[in-house]
Amino acid sequence: ISQPPILLAFMNGVELVVNQFLKIGFSLKPSKSNLIAPTGNTILHIFGSWLFDCVLLNRSGFEEGTALAMKILSNVMITNHRTDFLPVYVSSYFSCLQRALSTEGRVLVAAITSSTSIFTKDIKGVRCLVPLFFSAIQKVLSGRIKSVENVMPPEHFRKACLQIFGTIVCFPNHLGSTKFATKSLAGIEVSDYSSLKVHYSTLLTEALTKETNLSNTELLLNLSYIWVVEDVDNNCDFARQIIGLIIRKVTQNRWGPDVIVPAFNILTSLACLYPKIEKGYEQANLVVDQLCRIIINIGNPPAPNMEQISVLAFRCIAHWIMTDQWLFNFKETRHSLLNAIVSALTGKQATQEVQVEQVVQITTSSKKKDKKKQKEEKAAPPPKNETKNQPEPSILIQEAAHSTLMTILNHLGNFPTLSGASVVSSLALEDEILQEIVTASGGAITAEKTKDFMRYYITDDRLIICVIDRPYLDGGPHACVIVRDKTGRYAWDTSLTYSSTSNKREPTLYHETQIEISASPFQPSTVKPMDVNELSSVLGYLSQCNTSSAFRPVEQQVQKEYKVLKRNNFRLTADISTHIPEPADAYSADCKFQHSRMFMSHVGYLSLENRSKLFPLNMNSSFFEALRQLDEKEERVCINVGVLYGRKGQSEDDWFGNEGGSLDYQEFVSTLGWGINVEDHRGHKGVVESSGGNLAPYWANYSTEIIFQVPSLVPNRSDDPDHDHKRKQALQCTTLILWLEDFGSFQAQMIWKHVRYNITIIVIVPLDFGLYSVRIFSKNDLSRIGPICDGCVLSKSGLGHVVRDTCILSWQKENGNKPSPTQARVECIDRIYELFKKNCTLEQFYSSQFTALEGDQISPLQLDRPKSRPVSMAINPKPRKSKSPGREKKRKTKSRAPPPQRAESDITDRRPPAPAPTGRGRGLGRGRGAPPSRGSPVKARPPPPSRPAPPSVKAKRPPPSRPATKEGETSNLTSSGSWVGSRTTPSQQGAQRARPPPKLFGTQRRNQSPSPDN
């Protein structure tokens, strides 16, 4: 063919015929037809010589026909990649690609755009083309090829190059020092895969600097994050480069708000790599300091489209602060951070440039004009208040600033807690503390009397304070303080200390008890006896006088007195010393609220100045029910992620019945999170427990909890052939991870047809050379959720990490406009404040601190949880009328049925139906459905039936018991943190189903016995 139009028309005809041949394989069903679809070799037998000759000749002026021939060849090779192509066809195709990649213009565009998934296909020897493709990609992204404007939009061409790069980004570390069989194009010298690392980093930084398209910039940011995760263990230089590049682009206003949002998401995800970055504290300090400056410049109220940037900046700051305690070593950064928080909370304007310009303009006017203006201003009415026209501060920015402040105050240096990362609140509850008092008293104190040991207060800023006297502790009486606010529940044990804390303590002086005491009267030894000669005159007088009658009574009296004194040891043994007073018995009176009262007084809550800020609370059954609901509200974002396993040749219904899975799949599951026993777990449980599951991967940080609901870890039931209990785990989630050994016939509609809401689907397909292809599907425009790129190829080391980050970002984009978890707690505390606050006089308030509680006040131990009054009646005391016409005729009274309660906002109307509530254990139960992982409406529900009643009080709600490891469970958990199974084949499916599910080897630390100071 010697004319270009004829060649183009010929190739158009060839393309139509080839496409019809390729469709035959999809339309034929082997079970219903004896026809055999044409293979790739068959098609190339017919058209191969024309196509190969056209591309290899690459005649000038015939570019359109040549490009179309290249496209047809790639379509045949990639669509029928499972064909065992003849070596001549494979080598000819590779030669065509080498010729096309070395050119420019239409042929190069066709070679790249038609081969975006070539490295994910089973084409023998395809990886020898890596240096060729990388050389062409580098030329395109660096801007050295600009002759494609007349062929297709340049941004689309660059996107195709980035898609190919996403499929080879893991090759350098996976294949290491493997030598290349082909040479690269001019301009790059690489001998093996490891030598590509430096070029990868250079390519990404250069492309990020030059790229102007929003979609391509997001794709570059995601690829940069994947490359950091892949190579950070070997070299952290690129991680430092990408952090600095993002900061520079944002601070220099090189990126618009649409690009800054994904950039901040990537910057937030990079915080988890802090331990692997050399001198990570320097990068953390750089990020926090620069983001604080950005927040201050944005101000509050912000400029249009800048509100989300300020909120994301606060979130990013919190993640980098919580990586370590480096913030304590940087005084200036702390000052900048607090300045940014105060600026956002108080609603400061960013600048006052407009007012300054107005002042300058006034000073330039002449004196005569100034006098006229002064007269006019005096005659004119005063200007109206212009503050009404000023925009109000952004509530979202204020909430983000307050959340960051609470993170610093509550969690910095205190996460994970001693109870593990699954909880951020104290596990201690009032029930177990009061039950401890009953037990330690030996029956002297009953459950009804425990109410005298406690009080509840609420402050004007919505802080619920419970103080309990604990008189039977080993160290002496303590005051237990349990504080509840919108961030959680925190318990403290306090004791009053009078002794010095120094080592040199003066011992208390006591009287000696072993000293001998004299039992005879005092005999002065200094008086000498009188001589007989000196008494001669006295004796003479007595001899002449008759004194016997007078002397005898006196002598008798003296003898009697002496006998009495002798008998009483002359009263010299009587204890007349001054004794040291013994400590007072604080609990001898009826009022048992002693140490707690002193604590409240010492911290200033009982002072007259704070009287208007502290209010007692009514301790009735409705109050404790509302308090229980507050404890069940989540403190962090809780996400449910389903994980489904599909063997080769199975239909979507068979996926739910799988148990175990291949070793690769089980190792992947173990990288998603650490293993937990759901029964003993204190954190978010999703629907794992309610659907019969005992084991699950779990991951949490200070702000997010993720439960991975894995049906393959749940055994099949003989009474449930449709595996509905497993479908519940897989489908009641916001993101579904689908591990497929055969992706050929998958369609996302196969999953979406089972649910009425959007589920983001992440499909992982294991490749034949140890890597994994990842695809993303969503009903909404979430193809760029990141950091996973649709169609990219990841290694096993970074797969779980990147997939988990993608699940978090997917949830944030789906639920970004919904209230935060703390909002539900705020609303619950507000209802407690409005319904149970006591309004009393000053005399009544202080009198209640010294007297026992009234008879209508109860203790938590007196509650009968299953028969307790629904809190909905307490929170919504106005009943509604019955809608039944028959009832209205028979009974005109109001219905006692509680009104239907809505969730915290109208957004819940669009949520999927919530499953049965699941407990969280020890007062931290969630009671909410999996999709969409938000708190369900306030409803009264009894505690789990497994809680036994305490022996001292029949049918009373007991304190939560501390979990004890069962003997049969000790072999399930080790420190390896992986699911162990054997490799399975399709022929072993029957045996695989007959075996019990693999055991979970989690790394979750044992739950220690909780103490109030945890």
Side-chain angles (χ1 to χ4, degrees):
I1 301 174
S2 59
Q3 297 182 8
I6 298 178
L7 177 63
L8 179 59
F10 173 75
M11 288 301 170
N12 283 326
V14 172
E15 184 183 23
L16 291 175
V17 177
V18 169
N19 288 339
Q20 294 300 320
F21 279 129
L22 294 177
K23 290 178 181 179
I24 296 176
F26 294 103
S27 60
L28 290 179
K29 293 184 178 180
S31 59
K32 298 182 180 180
S33 175
N34 295 325
L35 300 177
I36 300 176
T39 64
N41 286 326
T42 304
I43 298 174
L44 292 179
H45 286 334
I46 302 174
F47 305 101
S49 59
W50 297 332
L51 297 174
F52 290 135
D53 290 343
C54 182
V55 176
L56 292 175
L57 289 175
N58 194 17
R59 292 174 290 175
S60 177
F62 292 80
E63 285 81 5
E64 292 187 8
T66 304
L68 187 54
M70 187 71 251
K71 177 183 176 182
I72 297 171
L73 281 174
S74 296
N75 193 17
V76 172
M77 299 295 291
I78 293 175
T79 304
N80 286 346
H81 64 96
R82 297 189 184 278
T83 299
D84 187 11
F85 285 101
L86 297 177
V88 62
Y89 291 147
V90 174
S91 59
S92 298
Y93 174 62
F94 289 171
S95 299
C96 291
L97 281 175
Q98 183 178 16
R99 175 66 62 87
L101 294 174
S102 61
T103 61
E104 295 184 7
R106 193 179 297 272
V107 178
L108 175 63
V109 171
I112 290 181
T113 55
S114 62
S115 307
T116 54
S117 61
I118 187 173
F119 292 106
T120 64
K121 305 303 179 180
D122 299 333
I123 303 175
K124 291 182 179 180
V126 69
R127 286 183 292 279
C128 69
L129 300 174
V130 169
L132 301 176
F133 271 96
F134 181 74
S135 299
I137 291 172
Q138 192 176 41
K139 289 192 299 181
V140 173
L141 296 181
S142 62
R144 284 179 281 172
I145 297 179
K146 299 181 179 180
S147 58
V148 297
E149 289 82 357
N150 57 343
V151 180
M152 66 183 304
E155 60 271 14
H156 294 174
F157 184 44
R158 294 196 300 269
K159 183 176 182 179
C161 293
L162 292 176
Q163 290 174 342
I164 296 177
F165 181 78
T167 62
I168 64 175
V169 68
C170 299
F171 285 7
N173 283 324
H174 185 66
L175 299 173
S177 58
T178 305
K179 301 293 183 180
F180 288 126
T182 58
K183 295 183 179 180
S184 61
L185 301 179
I188 178 174
E189 295 182 1
V190 289
S191 58
D192 55 15
Y193 286 96
S194 297
S195 59
L196 287 173
K197 292 184 178 182
V198 178
H199 299 285
Y200 276 18
S201 301
T202 304
L203 172 66
L204 289 171
T205 53
E206 186 177 0
L208 271 174
T209 304
K210 296 181 178 180
E211 184 60 58
T212 57
N213 181 262
L214 171 61
S215 177
N216 291 347
T217 304
E218 292 185 18
L219 188 55
L220 278 168
L221 288 169
N222 295 333
L223 290 173
S224 299
Y225 179 75
I226 293 174
W227 177 235
V228 169
V229 174
E230 287 290 335
D231 199 47
V232 70
D233 291 329
N234 303 318
N235 191 349
C236 64
D237 291 342
F238 181 69
R240 300 167 65 92
Q241 292 176 13
I242 202 66
I243 292 172
L245 188 147
I246 293 175
I247 293 297
R248 286 194 306 272
K249 286 285 188 178
V250 176
T251 54
Q252 297 174 4
N253 296 325
R254 300 291 182 86
W255 284 342
D258 293 337
V259 181
I260 294 177
V261 170
F264 277 0
N265 288 332
I266 295 299
L267 198 60
T268 302
S269 300
L270 286 170
C272 62
L273 301 176
Y274 171 89
K276 300 181 179 181
I277 300 176
E278 184 180 358
K279 295 182 179 181
Y281 56 87
E282 294 181 353
Q283 300 301 311
N285 181 61
L286 171 66
V287 171
V288 173
D289 181 67
Q290 294 299 321
L291 291 183
C292 289
R293 298 176 188 272
I294 293 172
I295 292 172
I296 294 174
N297 290 333
I298 293 175
N300 192 14
N305 300 326
M306 300 301 289
E307 181 183 56
Q308 186 180 8
I309 294 176
S310 186
V311 173
L312 290 177
F314 274 118
R315 181 193 300 170
C316 185
I317 287 173
H319 275 71
W320 279 96
I321 287 175
M322 289 301 298
T323 55
D324 198 0
Q325 301 185 38
W326 59 267
L327 185 63
F328 294 105
N329 301 325
F330 293 89
K331 181 179 179 180
E332 295 181 357
T333 304
R334 291 199 308 270
H335 181 269
S336 299
L337 175 60
L338 296 176
N339 188 17
I341 292 175
V342 171
S343 174
L345 290 175
T346 57
K348 270 185 174 179
Q349 292 285 348
T351 59
Q352 303 292 338
E353 296 177 359
V354 178
Q355 298 181 4
V356 174
E357 291 177 358
Q358 292 176 355
V359 173
V360 173
Q361 291 176 1
I362 293 174
T363 55
T364 57
S365 60
S366 61
K367 294 182 179 180
K368 294 182 179 180
K369 291 182 179 180
D370 290 342
K371 291 181 180 180
K372 291 182 179 180
K373 286 185 179 181
Q374 290 177 2
K375 292 180 179 180
E376 292 176 357
E377 290 175 357
K378 290 181 180 180
K384 296 181 180 180
N385 187 11
E386 297 180 356
T387 58
K388 296 182 180 180
N389 299 328
Q390 293 181 357
E392 296 182 357
S394 169
I395 297 178
L396 292 178
I397 293 179
Q398 290 179 337
E399 290 181 353
H402 187 266
S403 176
T404 304
L405 180 61
M406 289 297 100
T407 299
I408 298 172
L409 296 178
N410 293 340
H411 301 307
L412 184 58
N414 190 40
F415 183 86
T417 64
L418 294 177
S419 299
S422 60
V423 290
V424 293
S425 293
S426 298
L427 296 177
L429 286 172
E430 293 89 340
D431 305 59
E432 64 178 3
I433 297 174
L434 296 177
Q435 187 63 42
E436 179 188 79
I437 295 175
V438 174
T439 304
S441 66
I445 300 174
T446 61
E448 292 78 6
K449 294 182 180 179
T450 54
K451 68 179 182 179
D452 295 327
F453 290 84
M454 65 187 307
R455 297 287 191 279
Y456 279 94
Y457 302 94
I458 190 168
T459 62
D460 58 344
D461 55 352
R462 307 305 190 266
L463 185 73
I464 299 177
I465 303 174
C466 173
V467 282
I468 306 175
D469 266 57
R470 304 182 68 182
Y472 297 108
L473 294 183
D474 295 337
H478 283 61
C480 179
V481 184
I482 302 178
V483 180
R484 291 175 172 87
D485 62 2
K486 68 178 184 179
T487 64
R489 181 183 68 243
Y490 311 100
W492 291 83
D493 260 344
T494 64
S495 61
L496 192 57
T497 303
Y498 288 101
S499 303
S500 173
T501 57
S502 62
N503 295 328
K504 297 180 180 179
R505 297 184 179 180
E506 297 181 0
T508 306
L509 298 178
Y510 294 94
H511 291 284
E512 293 287 347
T513 58
Q514 303 298 328
I515 297 179
E516 296 183 359
I517 300 177
S518 175
S520 58
F522 175 72
Q523 298 292 336
S525 59
T526 58
V527 181
K528 296 180 180 181
M530 296 181 65
D531 192 4
V532 178
N533 297 328
E534 297 178 355
L535 299 176
S536 57
S537 58
V538 177
L539 294 174
Y541 171 76
L542 293 176
S543 62
Q544 295 177 1
C545 300
N546 187 10
T547 60
S548 58
S549 58
F551 179 74
R552 190 175 293 109
V554 175
E555 184 178 3
Q556 293 176 354
Q557 181 66 28
V558 171
Q559 291 176 356
K560 290 179 180 179
E561 292 178 356
Y562 181 80
K563 289 179 181 180
V564 173
L565 294 173
K566 184 68 174 177
R567 190 184 309 123
N568 296 326
N569 293 326
F570 298 93
R571 298 190 64 83
L572 296 177
T573 58
D575 188 5
I576 60 174
S577 61
T578 302
H579 294 279
I580 300 176
E582 297 181 357
D585 184 5
Y587 304 99
S588 59
D590 293 338
C591 181
K592 311 300 182 184
F593 189 68
Q594 299 292 342
H595 282 77
S596 298
R597 183 191 68 246
M598 290 187 289
F599 171 80
M600 296 291 288
S601 175
H602 293 167
V603 297
Y605 276 117
L606 300 184
S607 62
L608 289 173
E609 294 79 4
N610 294 324
R611 176 62 196 91
S612 61
K613 301 178 181 179
L614 186 74
F615 306 95
L617 290 172
N618 278 311
M619 296 164 50
N620 52 34
S621 58
S622 298
F623 165 72
F624 287 113
E625 188 66 21
L627 203 65
R628 181 187 64 81
Q629 290 190 2
L630 175 62
D631 288 339
E632 290 180 351
K633 297 294 182 183
E634 56 203 25
E635 304 97 346
R636 296 175 284 182
V637 170
C638 296
I639 304 175
N640 297 346
V641 178
V643 183
L644 200 57
Y645 173 69
R647 291 190 176 92
K648 186 176 181 179
Q650 287 184 331
S651 64
E652 66 271 17
D653 292 331
D654 298 331
W655 298 342
F656 299 98
N658 287 328
E659 296 183 17
S662 64
L663 184 60
D664 277 350
Y665 165 73
Q666 296 187 55
E667 290 176 347
F668 162 72
V669 171
S670 67
T671 62
L672 293 174
W674 54 86
I676 60 167
N677 286 319
V678 180
E679 183 180 357
D680 300 334
H681 182 53
R682 304 298 184 189
H684 179 56
K685 298 181 181 181
V687 296
V688 176
E689 189 175 32
S690 63
S691 58
N694 296 322
L695 308 173
Y698 171 85
W699 182 90
N701 62 5
Y702 75 97
S703 62
T704 306
E705 294 180 76
I706 307 179
I707 186 74
F708 294 92
Q709 302 169 165
V710 187
S712 60
L713 295 177
V714 181
N716 294 328
R717 297 176 183 174
S718 58
D719 58 344
D720 187 8
D722 295 333
H723 311 294
D724 291 334
H725 65 296
K726 288 190 170 186
R727 292 176 185 268
K728 182 179 179 181
Q729 283 199 31
L731 300 179
Q732 292 193 4
C733 57
T734 57
T735 303
L736 175 63
I737 302 172
L738 183 56
W739 182 285
L740 285 183
E741 294 180 352
D742 184 10
F743 183 73
S745 59
F746 172 77
Q747 293 180 357
Q749 194 62 36
M750 300 161 62
I751 300 296
W752 289 333
K753 69 181 181 181
H754 295 288
V755 294
R756 293 177 295 174
Y757 48 90
N758 180 40
I759 289 182
T760 301
I761 304 175
I762 301 176
V763 181
I764 301 174
V765 182
L767 303 178
D768 61 344
F769 52 96
L771 296 179
Y772 306 89
S773 175
V774 184
R775 299 294 308 275
I776 300 179
F777 301 89
S778 177
K779 290 182 179 179
N780 300 335
D781 186 17
L782 292 178
S783 58
R784 300 175 302 184
I785 56 177
I788 284 184
C789 309
D790 185 26
C792 68
V793 176
L794 301 177
S795 65
K796 182 182 295 186
S797 61
L799 180 63
H801 181 97
V802 180
V803 167
R804 183 174 61 243
D805 289 344
T806 304
C807 294
I808 296 175
L809 287 179
S810 173
W811 187 93
Q812 291 174 354
K813 290 202 173 186
E814 281 281 356
N815 303 273
N817 57 345
K818 295 182 180 180
S820 62
T822 58
Q823 186 62 31
R825 295 184 60 87
V826 169
E827 294 176 0
C828 192
I829 294 174
D830 286 341
R831 291 193 292 266
I832 292 175
Y833 180 87
E834 295 171 359
L835 296 174
F836 304 106
K837 182 187 69 172
K838 283 184 180 180
N839 293 318
C840 53
T841 63
L842 185 64
E843 181 182 0
Q844 292 173 342
F845 175 77
Y846 283 111
S847 177
S848 64
Q849 311 302 319
F850 300 94
T851 56
L853 293 177
E854 296 85 352
D856 59 345
Q857 306 294 296
I858 64 173
S859 164
L861 296 183
Q862 295 179 257
L863 295 176
D864 190 0
R865 291 294 186 186
K867 298 180 181 181
S868 62
R869 182 186 180 188
V871 74
S872 57
M873 291 295 293
I875 295 176
N876 296 308
K878 295 182 180 180
R880 60 177 178 139
K881 295 182 180 180
S882 174
K883 295 184 179 180
S884 173
R887 287 187 181 179
E888 291 179 356
K889 293 180 180 179
K890 295 180 181 180
R891 185 182 302 173
K892 295 183 179 181
T893 58
K894 294 182 179 181
S895 174
R896 294 183 180 181
Q901 296 189 8
R902 299 177 65 85
E904 290 77 16
S905 64
D906 293 337
I907 297 174
T908 54
D909 294 339
R910 299 188 294 270
R911 298 175 183 170
T918 58
R920 182 164 183 165
R922 285 234 285 176
L924 295 178
R926 286 303 187 226
R928 54 185 178 274
S933 301
R934 296 285 310 162
S936 60
V938 179
K939 295 181 181 179
R941 66 173 179 85
S946 60
R947 294 180 176 175
S952 58
V953 183
K954 186 177 181 180
K956 305 296 182 182
R957 181 178 182 267
S961 58
R962 296 178 175 87
T965 304
K966 298 180 181 179
E967 294 180 359
E969 296 178 353
T970 55
S971 61
N972 292 349
L973 294 178
T974 66
S975 59
S976 60
S978 63
W979 282 259
V980 175
S982 60
R983 297 186 180 273
T984 58
T985 61
S987 62
Q988 297 172 327
Q989 293 178 11
Q992 181 69 18
R993 293 188 181 183
R995 292 201 308 266
K999 302 299 182 181
L1000 172 68
F1001 289 78
T1003 57
Q1004 172 78 340
R1005 70 181 70 176
R1006 289 291 186 185
N1007 288 315
Q1008 302 176 0
S1009 298
S1011 58
D1013 56 355
N1014 283 354

